[in-house]
């Protein structure tokens, strides 16, 4: 994939949660459920009565409860209309706009409403032009990569998207941090996109204190698990060993500043790399 004629857009949906139009939420979720009913013949979803097993469209096991779509819509309507907040002075206020604060349905409402808006927007893009861009969104964070070529008007596309032609007003897009999407930093190196775990403390700069100090009143197993999990994230989010090694060393330096013993740091096997950086070994570990 040649990238010298590609560009990207990093955006956040400003005020996504407090400003999401309620009517858009209602219409979006009804449209999604109707689409599943028409295309697949579903009229509800099967939810496990206990445990952490996923929901299913069909009843293939015991101890599940079917929830019809109409019941789901009634619950959604109730949630939207009766989101209550108790203030410090004891007064109760009803939320009249946006995604219901603190409601377990709110993440699903956000994802569904944004996905419906994106689907409607895509219908305005010529099919021939859709091959020139790709986008990912996580809640209200967006990363869009598009081609710069004479075969389509990439500048107009970029301007229209940035002007929030995709999302209904009062939603609008604001610029995100350049070269950063969620917890990943990325950059173009020749004809490749390289990436690594975002770390505001890299290079010895102490900007954020994220983890427990070694002398804190926290169980040893919890401290060790935190270190192991962090190093696994370093490896998973690195595009190649050359990006992973300095990222891992910066992360280990964070824990070293928190007085984690060398014996604990050296015993971690979570972060590994291939032999091209260490000749003579099939696999190594930091």
């Amino acid at each position: 994939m040649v990238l010298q004629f590609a560009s990207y857009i990093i955006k956040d949906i400003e005020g996504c949660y407090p400003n999401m139009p309620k009517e858009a939420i209602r219409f979006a979720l009804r449209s999604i459920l109707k689409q599943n009913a028409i295309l697949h013949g579903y009229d509800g979803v099967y939810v496990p009565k206990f445990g952490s097993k996923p929901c299913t469209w069909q009843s293939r096991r015991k101890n599940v409860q079917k929830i019809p779509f109409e019941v789901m819509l009634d619950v959604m309507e109730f949630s939207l209309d009766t989101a209550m907040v108790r203030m410090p002075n004891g007064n109760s206020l009803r939320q009249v706009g946006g995604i219901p604060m603190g409601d377990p349905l709110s993440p699903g409402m956000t994802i569904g409403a944004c996905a419906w808006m994106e689907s409607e927007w895509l219908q305005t893009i010529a099919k021939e032009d859709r091959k020139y861009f790709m986008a990912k969104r996580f809640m209200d964070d967006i990363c869009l990569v598009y081609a710069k070529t004479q075969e389509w008007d990439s500048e107009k596309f970029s301007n229209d998207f940035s002007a929030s032609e995709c999302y209904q007003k009062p939603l609008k897009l604001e610029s995100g941090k350049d070269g950063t999407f969620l917890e990943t930093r990325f950059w173009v190196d020749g004809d490749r996109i390289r990436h690594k775990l975002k770390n505001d403390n890299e290079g010895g700069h102490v900007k954020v204190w994220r983890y427990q100090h070694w002398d804190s009143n926290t169980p040893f197993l919890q401290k060790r698990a935190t270190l192991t999990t962090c190093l696994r994230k370093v490896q998973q989010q690195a595009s190649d060993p050359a990006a992973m090694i300095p990222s891992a060393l910066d992360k280990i330096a964070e824990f070293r500043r928190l007085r984690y013993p060398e014996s604990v740091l050296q015993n971690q096997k979570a972060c590994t790399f291939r032999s091209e950086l260490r000749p003579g070994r099939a696999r190594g570990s930091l």
Side-chain angles (χ1 to χ4, degrees), residues 24-34 72-73 76 80 105 108-113 116:
I25 299 172
R26 290 187 169 93
F27 196 93
L29 299 189
R30 288 187 179 277
S31 177
I32 292 171
L33 294 182
K34 182 179 179 180
M72 295 172 67
L73 290 173
M76 179 267 296
L80 282 175
L105 298 180
M109 290 183 182
T110 305
I111 295 169
W116 173 76

Side-chain angles (χ1 to χ4, degrees), residues 213-241:
H213 195 281
W214 181 256
D215 295 331
S216 64
N217 186 23
T218 304
F220 167 76
L221 291 179
Q222 181 176 336
K223 296 174 185 174
R224 188 178 66 180
T226 300
L227 173 59
T228 302
T229 301
C230 289
L231 291 179
R232 285 177 178 168
K233 287 175 65 177
V234 165
Q235 176 166 331
Q236 291 171 355
Q237 293 180 226
S239 56
D240 52 76

Side-chain angles (χ1 to χ4, degrees), residues 73-91:
L73 290 173
D74 288 342
V75 173
M76 179 267 296
E77 293 282 359
F78 179 84
S79 175
L80 282 175
D81 293 333
T82 57
M84 307 299 294
V85 179
R86 183 179 293 278
M87 305 302 291
N89 62 5
N91 292 338

